[in-house]
C-alpha cells in the first residue's frame, strides 16, 4: 500500500515528510478471459487440446486513504515493522477497569486472571497507538501516477507487459487489462492452473529532484535484449517473426537501458523505490534503434543470411548454417510459417549463434505487431565504439521513481473460519457435580473480543470461561484453532460457557455447577490460498 516515503528529516522544521499511498490492485474472481482463434471466449481445461489465441487478465483498481485500523498497519510499515494483529481496545467502566462477565465479580481468581490478560492486551494496544502516531508524523496522500506497468509472471519470467498512462487509473474507471497474445501451451496451462502472478510497477515523479546525471552501459543493454528475446522466442516459436517488433522491443530496450543506468551520488534516498527515467520515449527509442538496430532491405537480409550460412558451414556449425539457409529461403518464397520456424530454430541455439543470426537481419513489425516488410539487424558489440561511447557518457535525464508490489489474485483467496477472539488463557476451577462432588475443570478464560466478532455477537464477553465449542472441549487458543479447522464460515454452532460453579445452600442442599449454551454463527476473514490448496 505504501508507495514511497521520504526520510523523517526530509520535511525540515515544521514541515512533515511526505508519504504516498499506491492504489490497491486485484484480479477479481473470473477475471481471466480466454479467446480462441475465432475471437470467441471459452474456458479451457487443457491448452494442449484447447489452445488460446489470447489470454486477458482484468485488474481492478481501488484508491482510498486508510481507515483508523489501516493507519496502524501503515504506521508500522513506515517504522520498518509489522502490525500482525489489530486489537480492539477493551471496554472499561468509569474507574478504568475492564468490563467483564458478572459471574466473575466476587471471584478474585477470575478477576486477577482477566486483569493479566487485559494488561497484556493494553501493552499491545499501546504499540498500536505508537504505530498510529508514526503515521501522524507524515503528510500522507494518494500518489499521482505517471505510469503503471502490469507484468504477467509465469514460471519466473515476464510473459506479458501492459503499460497505462496515470490519467487512466482510477476507482471509477473500467478494470485495466493485461493481455498475453499467442501464448505457448506451457504458459497457457500454467495460467489455467492458477500458477501465475501479476506485479504492478508504479512510476511517479520524484518529489525533490527533477533531473539527474546518468550513465549507461549499452553493451550490457544489448546483451540483455538479446537474452530476453531469445528466451521469449524459444518459449513460443509462433512469436518468432515479431522478435524485433516495435511493440515488444520498445519496452525491452527501455527496461534494459534503465537496468544498466547508474546515477550520481547526489540522488536522495526514498525508501522502497528505485530511480528510473521517463526520457525513454518513442523518440529516444527510435534514436537508439537507428544506431543499434539499423534497417536493411529484404534483399540485403537474404544476401547476409546466405553468406552467413556458408561461413557457419565452413566453421562446422551445421545447425546455425541451416537456420540461416532456411530463413533466406523462407524470405525468398514468402512463407511466413517457414520464416517463423527458422527464427525459432535460431533461438534454440547457443546465445552467441543467436546473436550472430540477429546481426544478419530479421523481419520487424509495426507498433501493433502487424507483419511488415521492415527488416532490422543488431549491430555487432564491437562494431561502433563511437556511438556506444556517446550513449554511455553522462547525460541529464528526467528522473522518476518506481516501486513494485504484487497484485492480489482473488482466485487465490479464501475465507477462513473465525470466532473473533484474540486473547485468552487456560483457567481451572472447582465445580460441584452430582456424582463426584467437587471436580476440577479447565476451560478457556475469554480475553479480548472484537465487538463484531462471532463470539461477541453470540453473547460471549470477557471473563467468561468457554468449556466446549461445537461439542469439543477447549482450554486455550490452540484448541480453538483446532476446532475451527473442521468448521466453515456461516455454520451455526453451540458454545458452552461456565454459568456457575455450584455450592451448598446448606449441609444437605446442593446447587450443582452448570454451563450455559450460546448459539454462535462462525465468522470469517480472508486468507491467501496457495495454488495446491
Amino acid at each position: 500500500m505504501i508507495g514511497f516515503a521520504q526520510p523523517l528529516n526530509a520535511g525540515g522544521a515544521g514541515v512533515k515528510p511526505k508519504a504516498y499511498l499506491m492504489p490497491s490492485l486485484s484480479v477479481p474472481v473470473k477475471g481471466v478471459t480466454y479467446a480462441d482463434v475465432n475471437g470467441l471466449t471459452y474456458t479451457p481445461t487443457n491448452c494442449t487440446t484447447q489452445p488460446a489465441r489470447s489470454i486477458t487478465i482484468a485488474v481492478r483498481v481501488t484508491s482510498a486513504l486508510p481507515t483508523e485500523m489501516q493507519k496502524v498497519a501503515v504506521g508500522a510499515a513506515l517504522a520498518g515493522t509489522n502490525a500482525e494483529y489489530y486489537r480492539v481496545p477493551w471496554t472499561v467502566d468509569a474507574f478504568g477497569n475492564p468490563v467483564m462477565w458478572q459471574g466473575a465479580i466476587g471471584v478474585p481468581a477470575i478477576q486477577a486472571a482477566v486483569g493479566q490478560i487485559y494488561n497484556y492486551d493494553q501493552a499491545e494496544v499501546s504499540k498500536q497507538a505508537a504505530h498510529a502516531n508514526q503515521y501522524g508524523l507524515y503528510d500522507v496522500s494518494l500518489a499521482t501516477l505517471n505510469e503503471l506497468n502490469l507484468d504477467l509472471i509465469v514460471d519466473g519470467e515476464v510473459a506479458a507487459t501492459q503499460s497505462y498512462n496515470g490519467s487512466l487509473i482510477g476507482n471509477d474507471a473500467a478494470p485495466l487489462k493485461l493481455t498475453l497474445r499467442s501464448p505457448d501451451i506451457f504458459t497457457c496451462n500454467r495460467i489455467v492452473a492458477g500458477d501465475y502472478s501479476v506485479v504492478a510497477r508504479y512510476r511517479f515523479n520524484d518529489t525533490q529532484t527533477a533531473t539527474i546525471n546518468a550513465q549507461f552501459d549499452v553493451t550490457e543493454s544489448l546483451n540483455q535484449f538479446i537474452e530476453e528475446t531469445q528466451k521469449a522466442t524459444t518459449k513460443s516459436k509462433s512469436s518468432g517473426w515479431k522478435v524485433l517488433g516495435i511493440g515488444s522491443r520498445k519496452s525491452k530496450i527501455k527496461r534494459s537501458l534503465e537496468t544498466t543506468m547508474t546515477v550520481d551520488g547526489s540522488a536522495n534516498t526514498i525508501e522502497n523505490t528505485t530511480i528510473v527515467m521517463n526520457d525513454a520515449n518513442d523518440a529516444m527509442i527510435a534514436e537508439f534503434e537507428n544506431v543499434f538496430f539499423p534497417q536493411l532491405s529484404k534483399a540485403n537480409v537474404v544476401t547476409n543470411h546466405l553468406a552467413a550460412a556458408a561461413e557457419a558451414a565452413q566453421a562446422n556449425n551445421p545447425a546455425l548454417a541451416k537456420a540461416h539457409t532456411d530463413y533466406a529461403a523462407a524470405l525468398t518464397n514468402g512463407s511466413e510459417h517457414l520464416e517463423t520456424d527458422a527464427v525459432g530454430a535460431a533461438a534454440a541455439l547457443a546465445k552467441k549463434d543467436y546473436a550472430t543470426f540477429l546481426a544478419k537481419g530479421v523481419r520487424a513489425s509495426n507498433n501493433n505487431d502487424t507483419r511488415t516488410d521492415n527488416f532490422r539487424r543488431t549491430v555487432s558489440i564491437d562494431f561502433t565504439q563511437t556511438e556506444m561511447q556517446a550513449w554511455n557518457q553522462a547525460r541529464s535525464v528526467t528522473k522518476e521513481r518506481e516501486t513494485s508490489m504484487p497484485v492480489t489474485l482473488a482466485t487465490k483467496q479464501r475465507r477462513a473460519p473465525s470466532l473473533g477472539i484474540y486473547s485468552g488463557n487456560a483457567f481451572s476451577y472447582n465445580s460441584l457435580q452430582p456424582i463426584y462432588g467437587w471436580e476440577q475443570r479447565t476451560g478457556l478464560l475469554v480475553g479480548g473480543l472484537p465487538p463484531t466478532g462471532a463470539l461477541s455477537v453470540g453473547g460471549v464477553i470477557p471473563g467468561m470461561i468457554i468449556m466446549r465449542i461445537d461439542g469439543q472441549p477447549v482450554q486455550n487458543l490452540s484448541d480453538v484453532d483446532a476446532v475451527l479447522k473442521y468448521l466453515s464460515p456461516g455454520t451455526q454452532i453451540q458454545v458452552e460457557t461456565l454459568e456457575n460453579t455450584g455450592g451448598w445452600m446448606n449441609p444437605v442442599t446442593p446447587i450443582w455447577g452448570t454451563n450455559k449454551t450460546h448459539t454462535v454463527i462462525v465468522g470469517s476473514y480472508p486468507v491467501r490460498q496457495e495454488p495446491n490448496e
Side-chain angles (χ1 to χ4, degrees), residues 222-223 226-227 229-230 305 320 324 346-347 349-361 377-381:
L222 289 174
N223 280 329
I226 291 172
E227 187 173 319
T229 56
Q230 184 178 17
H305 280 283
L320 178 59
H324 284 301
L349 301 174
K351 179 181 177 182
K352 182 179 179 181
D353 289 342
Y354 178 67
T356 300
F357 185 89
L358 295 184
K360 304 308 175 184
R377 68 179 181 87
T378 57
V379 300
S380 172
I381 296 300

Side-chain angles (χ1 to χ4, degrees), residues 28-51:
V29 176
K30 299 182 180 180
V32 182
T33 303
Y34 301 83
D36 61 20
V37 293
N38 297 315
L40 302 176
T41 59
Y42 71 110
T43 304
T45 56
N46 187 332
C47 296
T48 305
T49 56
Q50 300 168 295

Side-chain angles (χ1 to χ4, degrees), residues 7 38 58 69 75-76 90 118 181 251 254 305 353 363 366 379 405 407 441 446 461-462 480 484 502:
N38 297 315
M69 182 185 301
W90 288 40
Y118 171 75
R181 296 178 177 84
S251 63
K254 185 174 182 180
H305 280 283
D353 289 342
R363 189 187 298 274
N366 282 332
V379 300
M405 56 190 65
V407 175
R441 295 186 172 183
V446 176
I461 61 176
V480 175
L484 286 173

Side-chain angles (χ1 to χ4, degrees), residues 451-533:
T452 57
L455 289 177
S456 290
V457 174
V460 178
I461 61 176
M464 285 185 173
I465 301 174
I466 298 177
M467 303 307 298
R468 289 181 179 81
I469 297 177
D470 197 35
Q472 301 300 313
V474 294
Q475 298 183 2
N476 50 50
L477 295 179
S478 296
D479 291 341
V480 175
D481 291 338
V483 174
L484 286 173
K485 288 182 180 179
Y486 300 97
L487 298 177
S488 300
T491 303
Q492 179 175 294
I493 62 173
Q494 304 300 313
V495 175
E496 292 183 38
T497 63
L498 171 66
E499 184 172 41
N500 67 77
T501 60
W504 293 91
M505 293 185 62
N506 54 57
V508 295
T509 307
I511 299 177
W512 307 122
T514 58
N515 292 338
K516 180 179 180 179
T517 300
H518 305 260
T519 299
V520 173
I521 305 298
V522 178
S524 67
Y525 64 96
V527 295
R528 180 175 175 80
Q529 179 175 334
E530 297 304 323
N532 60 352
E533 287 190 67

Side-chain angles (χ1 to χ4, degrees), residues 53-73:
R53 176 62 180 84
S54 68
I55 302 174
T56 300
I57 300 175
V59 178
R60 183 177 295 143
V61 181
T62 304
S63 296
L65 288 172
T67 63
E68 292 303 313
M69 182 185 301
Q70 292 169 337
K71 287 178 181 178
V72 172

Side-chain angles (χ1 to χ4, degrees), residues 159-443:
T161 296
Q162 187 74 43
S163 297
Y164 285 92
N165 185 281
S167 62
L168 301 176
I169 304 167
N171 285 332
D172 298 329
L176 307 180
K177 293 186 177 181
L178 174 57
T179 299
L180 172 61
R181 296 178 177 84
S182 300
D184 56 52
I185 293 173
F186 173 86
T187 301
C188 182
N189 278 329
R190 296 273 35 89
I191 296 175
V192 169
D195 190 10
Y196 71 94
S197 62
V198 178
V199 173
R201 292 183 286 117
Y202 303 96
R203 293 195 171 194
F204 41 85
N205 286 338
D206 190 279
T207 57
Q208 294 186 341
T209 308
T211 60
I212 195 168
N213 289 327
Q215 289 185 317
F216 302 90
D217 185 342
V218 171
T219 300
E220 181 62 24
S221 295
L222 289 174
N223 280 329
Q224 286 188 14
F225 172 81
I226 291 172
E227 187 173 319
E228 282 195 34
T229 56
Q230 184 178 17
K231 286 182 179 179
T233 308
T234 301
K235 283 211 163 197
S236 180
K237 288 186 179 181
S238 64
S239 64
W241 62 273
K242 301 178 186 176
V243 82
L244 283 181
I246 297 294
S248 61
R249 183 168 69 252
K250 182 164 61 176
S251 63
K252 286 185 175 67
I253 290 177
K254 185 174 182 180
R255 183 165 59 249
S256 63
L257 283 174
E258 289 174 344
T259 300
T260 67
M261 182 179 72
T262 58
V263 298
D264 61 26
S266 65
N268 64 300
T269 299
I270 296 183
E271 296 179 5
N272 303 326
T273 69
T274 56
I275 293 176
V276 295
M277 59 176 173
N278 65 12
D279 291 323
N281 51 22
D282 289 348
M284 182 178 182
I285 297 303
E287 179 187 353
F288 188 90
E289 288 174 343
N290 288 334
V291 175
F292 299 107
F293 298 95
Q295 292 194 38
L296 293 175
S297 69
K298 181 177 179 179
N300 289 145
V301 173
V302 172
T303 300
N304 288 348
H305 280 283
L306 290 175
E311 293 176 4
Q314 290 181 352
N316 196 27
N317 191 340
L320 178 59
K322 187 176 187 304
H324 284 301
T325 301
D326 289 350
Y327 191 68
L331 292 180
T332 302
N333 298 331
S335 171
E336 178 182 338
H337 176 71
L338 294 178
E339 184 181 342
T340 298
D341 284 348
V343 176
L349 301 174
K351 179 181 177 182
K352 182 179 179 181
D353 289 342
Y354 178 67
T356 300
F357 185 89
L358 295 184
K360 304 308 175 184
V362 295
R363 189 187 298 274
S365 69
N366 282 332
N367 289 323
N368 59 359
D369 283 340
T370 56
R371 187 176 173 83
T372 69
D373 282 326
N374 178 22
F375 294 85
R376 289 183 181 268
R377 68 179 181 87
T378 57
V379 300
S380 172
I381 296 300
D382 57 0
F383 172 73
T384 176
Q385 293 297 322
T386 302
E387 286 83 353
M388 287 190 177
Q389 289 173 4
W391 271 93
N392 290 343
Q393 68 186 7
R395 61 177 64 195
S396 179
V397 300
T398 303
K399 185 175 63 171
E400 287 184 314
R401 288 193 178 268
E402 179 177 273
T403 188
S404 302
M405 56 190 65
V407 175
T408 302
L409 304 183
T411 55
K412 291 186 178 181
Q413 281 196 343
R414 62 181 175 85
R415 304 293 298 187
S418 170
L419 292 178
I421 178 172
Y422 60 79
S423 63
N425 291 327
F427 186 85
S428 298
Y429 64 92
N430 291 321
S431 177
L432 185 60
Q433 297 299 315
I435 298 177
Y436 299 105
W438 289 104
E439 292 181 3
Q440 185 179 71
R441 295 186 172 183
T442 302

Side-chain angles (χ1 to χ4, degrees), residues 65-138:
L65 288 172
T67 63
E68 292 303 313
M69 182 185 301
Q70 292 169 337
K71 287 178 181 178
V72 172
V74 175
L78 289 169
T81 185
N82 292 316
E84 295 183 359
Y85 194 95
Y86 184 81
R87 284 172 165 79
V88 178
W90 288 40
T91 302
V92 297
D93 60 21
F95 302 100
N97 298 315
V99 174
M100 68 180 73
W101 174 50
Q102 287 295 312
I105 306 300
V107 184
I110 295 180
Q111 286 184 301
V114 172
Q116 289 180 345
I117 300 174
Y118 171 75
N119 290 335
Y120 174 82
D121 285 347
Q122 281 300 102
E124 295 301 309
V125 169
S126 296
K127 292 180 183 178
Q128 293 177 178
H131 294 327
N133 290 338
Q134 184 77 14
Y135 177 94
L137 296 177
Y138 288 84

